[in-house]
Structures are given as C-alpha cells and as structure tokens.
Amino acid sequence: MFKGHEYRGLLVCSACAYHRDNTEDGERNISDIQTLTDSPFQFSYADEDDNLTERFKLWLEDVILTGLEYWNKSL
C-alpha cells in the first residue's frame, strides 16, 4: 500500500573538481573549486530508461573530459 505523496519533481546531477592542500597545522583545505559542466544533468522518474541512459552517457563523457583537463593542468 502506497502512503504519502507521489514524487513529481525533477532531479539534477552536477560535477566539480577541486584541490586539497595540507596546511602547516596538518589540516586540509579545499581550493580551486571548478565546475566541470555548464549545466547540470536533469532527469525525472518519468524518463524512459534507454533515453535517460544515453543522455547521461553523453553528459558524463563531457564531464570526464573536462575533469581530465583540470587534472592535467595541475600536474
């Protein structure tokens, strides 16, 4: 038996990269935060699985390439 409200909203996925720097006090600071995508990946429960998977693969491929460029610049 279903109780509560049916979910009707939109979900999003975003990606970012950053560096962790050690301080003299032994703590770790996060710096140089950069988004890895111009827009978040948006989806809902109503999306068809095949279409959703294909759209996510394309979005994720761009995120990975941007992340690798970010990482390469830090070397």
Side-chain angles (χ1 to χ4, degrees):
M1 178 179 215
F2 178 80
K3 293 186 178 187
H5 298 285
E6 181 179 346
Y7 178 76
R8 295 185 181 155
L10 192 64
L11 301 168
V12 296
C13 179
S14 185
C16 69
Y18 57 87
H19 293 283
R20 283 193 174 171
D21 303 315
N22 293 325
T23 66
E24 292 178 7
D25 299 335
E27 295 189 21
R28 299 177 86 184
N29 289 333
I30 294 175
S31 64
D32 194 28
I33 300 172
Q34 177 180 324
T35 60
L36 297 179
T37 180
D38 292 333
S39 60
F41 180 75
Q42 299 181 15
F43 60 104
S44 81
Y45 75 96
D47 289 333
E48 294 180 18
D49 288 345
D50 292 340
N51 182 32
L52 179 62
T53 301
E54 194 58 37
R55 285 191 313 113
F56 185 72
K57 283 180 183 179
L58 293 172
W59 180 86
L60 185 59
E61 184 175 314
D62 287 339
V63 168
I64 291 171
L65 290 174
T66 304
L68 288 172
E69 289 172 7
Y70 176 87
W71 176 67
N72 189 39
K73 289 177 184 177
S74 70
L75 297 178

